[in-house]
Amino acid sequence: MSAVRLVLLGRQGAGKGTQAVKLSEHYGAPHISTGDMLRSAVEEGTEFGRQAGEIMDRGDLVPDDVMVGVVTERLAKDDAVASGYLLDGFPRTVAQAEALAAMPNGDALQAVVNIDVPLDEVRTRMQLRARADDTPEAIDRRLALYEAQTEPLIRFYEERDMLLVVDGLGTVDEIFARLVEAIDRIRPVL
Ligand code: AMP
């Protein structure tokens, strides 16, 4: 079976993390979450982790050149070279998408999968699981930030004919089945 090399996109609350883990098992490709990598660095207490932690606490993005360095190294590791990857959380900006297209292994990206859940639906889901300090205003701010960051990326990949949109409404298993169907349709047949 040929390796999958994909980027996953989806609003917070779209179930992207859950699906990424299932897809990683199904295709045998590592799930590479830049958010998880940064959180590990924070826990390890390295100087890099300390700086990243401050940026994350502010709700800002870690600078593009730093993230590009992190992902370039990760995609060069044996498992990603041999088995492909499911990128989650990267790219987040058009500059990162351009850098990915020029990276060894990143240049072999096959498709970008957008798990699509309507804004009203994710807003409701986030409100249901929100903590007391998670006001509707804070939720709206986070969703607006995602929209501002991700809309240009969606256009970037649409223009390159690389975007797959999968309906993210339904049960975990229904959405997973749709994802596998959409991915298998575009994978090069060996
Ligand atoms: P996530 O778990 O993907 O929501 O990421 C958590 C935080 O890590 C984000 O709010 C950013 O501060 C930072 N982060 C993760 N991925 C990236 C990226 N590709 N570019 C910049 N910052 C990132």
Side-chain angles (χ1 to χ4, degrees):
M1 192 165 75
S2 60
V4 295
R5 290 177 298 274
L6 304 169
V7 166
L8 300 175
L9 296 177
R11 295 189 175 99
Q12 283 149 318
K16 176 162 55 83
T18 306
Q19 297 296 341
V21 171
K22 286 174 72 76
L23 289 169
S24 172
E25 277 168 19
H26 182 79
Y27 289 110
H31 170 210
I32 301 180
S33 156
T34 46
D36 285 352
M37 290 168 82
L38 292 170
R39 281 183 288 274
S40 300
V42 171
E43 265 170 45
E44 283 163 18
T46 59
E47 176 57 19
F48 169 70
R50 199 189 54 72
Q51 288 178 9
E54 278 180 18
I55 294 171
M56 291 159 79
D57 287 345
R58 289 202 303 268
D60 289 339
L61 289 181
V62 174
D64 285 337
D65 57 339
V66 175
M67 293 313 302
V68 167
V70 166
V71 174
T72 302
E73 264 182 41
R74 183 63 189 86
L75 292 191
K77 289 201 194 299
D78 290 349
D79 61 342
V81 172
S83 311
Y85 48 83
L86 295 157
L87 272 174
D88 172 1
F90 183 98
R92 261 216 183 38
T93 65
V94 169
Q96 291 180 9
E98 283 167 348
L100 178 64
M103 276 177 209
N105 202 7
D107 59 0
L109 177 68
Q110 294 157 331
V112 175
V113 186
N114 186 23
I115 304 175
D116 188 40
V117 177
L119 203 50
D120 283 346
E121 173 67 20
V122 286
R123 190 182 287 119
T124 309
R125 290 184 194 178
M126 285 172 80
Q127 278 163 357
L128 287 175
R129 72 181 191 192
R131 300 183 313 260
D133 58 345
D134 241 352
T135 60
E137 290 73 27
I139 290 172
D140 278 346
R141 222 178 11 254
R142 268 190 278 148
L143 288 172
L145 184 70
Y146 179 84
E147 244 35 56
Q149 286 170 8
T150 312
E151 273 309 309
L153 277 183
I154 289 182
R155 271 200 306 281
F156 179 92
Y157 286 117
E158 234 167 16
E159 283 165 7
R160 283 156 185 77
D161 229 0
M162 293 179 77
L163 190 73
L164 296 178
V165 181
V166 171
D167 178 6
L169 285 181
T171 66
V172 168
D173 287 343
E174 281 165 358
I175 300 162
F176 178 67
R178 278 179 216 143
L179 285 165
V180 169
E181 195 191 88
I183 293 164
D184 286 348
R185 222 182 293 135
I186 57 98
R187 287 172 69 206
V189 180
L190 280 185

